[in-house]
Amino acid sequence: MYVDLEALGGTEAYHVGASIKNAGKRAFAVSRIEDPETVAGLLARVASLPAG
């Protein structure tokens, strides 16, 4: 999975869910995460992950 934090402006985060039956085959929901503290925490964690 590739996340371009610059394209999101570093201020938005989304949750993409897949059904258990079809896990990894298709997305069934995309939700925007609106709580600023949650978004900041998630983006910080993603940014700290090793590239590759």
Side-chain angles (χ1 to χ4, degrees), residues 2 10 14 18 21 24-26 28 33 35-36 38 41 43 47-48 51-52:
Y2 174 75
Y14 295 84
K21 177 183 169 197
K25 294 182 182 175
R26 49 184 116 149
F28 77 90
I33 301 170
D35 178 56
T38 301
L43 293 177
S48 70

Side-chain angles (χ1 to χ4, degrees), residues 27-45:
F28 77 90
V30 177
S31 305
R32 181 172 181 220
I33 301 170
E34 296 187 3
D35 178 56
E37 289 182 29
T38 301
V39 170
L42 289 169
L43 293 177
R45 287 183 71 184

